[in-house]
């Protein structure tokens, strides 16, 4: 609510109690009207209090003027109580750092165990990959081939035939190509390959054991117990008996001869110059030095028959004997 305008004062020189008659209507008009805006005083007059105000305020305690600026102490207190966004962020970062530190402290053992497993697995992976890479690289290429087990066969010929594998990494040696080369040598019965890193390839062969020669149109063919032809010569090869088997090398008579010959002791085998059979049950051997016959019968119990024959030859040498009959090993007959 606005304050009413001040009443007009009496002109100077007029008695304070006398008010002109013309002023009465004006006061009634002012009282009846709505309050109006008070006059605005100049700034110089508002800043200086009147004499009456100074006298009235003399007895009261000093209070701060509403227009006076706030005290500096209050400004410092307000500033210290105010929290900015930067302070909130700083506190959040500090809390996260502390939380991470606690997590690291409580998971240190687990992290060490994890690092150990990772190191072991990584080392194994590097070792495996390095080994595979080195094995399939020229670092482990074949530079030398050695043939082991050849007695009748010429090992140098076999090594020369396998020269195509030189320069090939060990894991990439073609076994089928090696087999194709060794098949061309009839004396090779079986073979195995052995790698000796870093550069040597060993070929272990098992030669076929020739048991004798079979007469043919081309001469005499040296064969093994399976009937595989090893070589052919015009004359019977020395040191090997001549075989006469009814039905040829694919007959049961030839199979029985081969079984009996391989059962003989070495000292008796070297004396045999001829072997013959018309069937699998009448194998006969001939000792070349004296022409003594050995009646063997079938190939059953050949090991026992060989023992009985050796004992009989020691008891009565072949020079004084016409034949040894061991077809029944429990009752050998010497004639």
């Amino acid at each position: 609510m606005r304050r009413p305008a001040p009443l007009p004062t009496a002109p100077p020189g007029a008695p304070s109690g006398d008010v002109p008659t013309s002023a009465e209507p004006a006061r009634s008009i002012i009282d009846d009207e709505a309050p109006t805006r008070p006059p605005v005083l100049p700034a110089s007059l508002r800043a200086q209090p009147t004499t009456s105000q100074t006298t009235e305020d003399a007895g009261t305690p000093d209070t701060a003027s509403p227009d006076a600026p706030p005290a500096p102490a209050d400004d410092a207190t307000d500033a210290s109580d105010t929290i900015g966004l930067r302070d909130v962020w700083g506190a959040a970062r500090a809390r996260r750092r502390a939380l991470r530190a606690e997590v690291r402290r409580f998971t240190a053992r687990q992290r060490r165990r994890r690092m150990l497993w990772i190191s072991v697995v990584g080392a194994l992976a590097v070792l495996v990959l390095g080994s595979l890479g080195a094995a399939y690289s020229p670092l482990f290429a074949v530079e030398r081939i050695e043939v082991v087990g050849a007695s009748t066969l010429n090992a140098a010929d076999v090594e020369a035939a396998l020269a195509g594998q030189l320069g090939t990494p060990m894991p990439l040696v073609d076994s089928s190509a090696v087999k194709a080369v060794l098949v061309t040598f009839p004396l090779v019965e079986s073979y195995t390959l052995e790698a000796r890193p870093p550069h040597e390839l060993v070929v272990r062969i098992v030669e076929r054991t020739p048991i004798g020669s079979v007469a043919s149109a081309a001469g005499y063919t040296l064969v093994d117990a399976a009937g595989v032809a090893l070589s052919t010569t015009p004359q019977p090869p020395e040191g090997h008996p001549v075989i006469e088997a009814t039905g040829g090398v694919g007959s049961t008579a030839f199979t029985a001869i081969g079984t009996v010959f391989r059962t003989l002791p070495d000292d008796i085998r070297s004396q045999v110059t001829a072997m013959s059979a018309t069937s699998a049950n009448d194998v006969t051997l001939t000792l070349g030095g004296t022409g003594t016959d050995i009646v063997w019968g079938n190939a059953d119990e050949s090991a026992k028959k060989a023992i009985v024959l050796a004992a009989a030859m020691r008891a009565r040498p072949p020079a004084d004997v016409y034949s040894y009959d061991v077809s029944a090993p429990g009752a050998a007959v010497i004639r």
Side-chain angles (χ1 to χ4, degrees):
M1 183 177 180
R2 296 183 180 180
R3 294 170 54 187
L7 297 176
T9 57
S16 60
D18 298 333
V19 179
T21 307
S22 60
E24 292 296 331
R27 182 173 57 184
S28 62
I29 293 172
I30 293 174
D31 292 340
D32 294 338
E33 293 179 353
T36 59
R37 181 176 180 181
V40 180
L41 297 179
S44 60
L45 296 181
R46 290 200 305 269
Q48 297 178 1
T50 59
T51 304
S52 60
Q53 290 176 347
T54 304
T55 304
E56 291 176 357
D57 295 341
T60 61
D62 296 337
T63 58
S65 174
D67 296 334
D74 295 341
D75 292 345
T77 302
D78 295 342
S80 62
D81 293 341
T82 303
I83 298 176
L85 184 59
R86 183 177 298 176
D87 298 332
V88 175
W89 285 350
R93 285 196 300 270
R95 182 177 179 274
R96 286 194 297 269
R97 284 196 297 268
L99 182 61
R100 285 195 296 267
E102 289 297 316
V103 171
R104 285 195 300 270
R105 184 168 68 87
F106 282 104
T107 59
R109 184 175 180 181
Q110 181 180 0
R111 285 186 286 108
R112 285 195 299 269
R113 188 183 300 111
R114 186 186 302 115
M115 290 301 299
L116 177 61
W117 278 107
I118 292 175
S119 302
V120 171
V121 173
L124 290 177
V126 171
L127 179 61
V128 171
L129 294 177
S131 301
L132 292 177
Y136 285 89
S137 68
L139 294 176
F140 287 88
V142 177
E143 296 181 359
R144 184 171 57 260
I145 298 176
E146 180 182 0
V147 176
V148 178
S151 56
T152 306
L153 188 64
N154 189 355
D157 294 341
V158 179
E159 293 174 0
L162 294 174
Q165 299 299 321
L166 295 176
T168 305
M170 291 285 186
L172 298 180
V173 172
D174 190 356
S175 59
S176 60
V178 173
K179 181 179 179 180
V181 170
L182 295 180
V183 165
T184 60
F185 295 90
L187 282 174
V188 177
E189 182 176 2
S190 62
Y191 72 94
T192 56
L193 298 179
E194 178 183 345
R196 290 181 181 176
H199 305 297
E200 186 175 3
L201 178 65
V202 178
V203 182
R204 297 186 180 274
I205 64 175
V206 176
E207 291 184 343
R208 297 183 182 275
T209 302
I211 63 173
S213 59
V214 178
S216 63
Y220 289 87
T221 302
L222 192 65
V223 294
D224 67 348
V228 177
L230 305 179
S231 63
T232 301
T233 58
Q235 300 297 327
E238 295 182 1
H240 299 286
V242 176
I243 301 173
E244 295 181 5
T246 302
V249 294
S251 64
T252 57
F254 180 86
T255 303
I257 290 174
T259 303
V260 171
F261 184 78
R262 288 183 297 178
T263 308
L264 293 174
D266 292 339
D267 56 341
I268 299 177
R269 185 187 303 171
S270 62
Q271 301 179 44
V272 177
T273 57
M275 296 183 293
S276 63
T278 58
S279 67
N281 296 319
D282 63 344
V283 177
T284 301
L285 311 177
T286 302
L287 301 180
T290 60
T292 304
D293 291 334
I294 301 173
V295 180
W296 198 274
N298 56 31
D300 297 339
E301 299 181 302
S302 291
K304 186 176 181 179
K305 292 177 181 180
I307 296 174
V308 172
L309 176 62
M313 292 177 67
R314 285 192 301 269
R316 293 185 61 179
D320 301 331
V321 176
Y322 172 73
S323 68
Y324 297 97
D325 188 347
V326 293
S327 57
V333 178
I334 302 175
R335 299 184 179 90

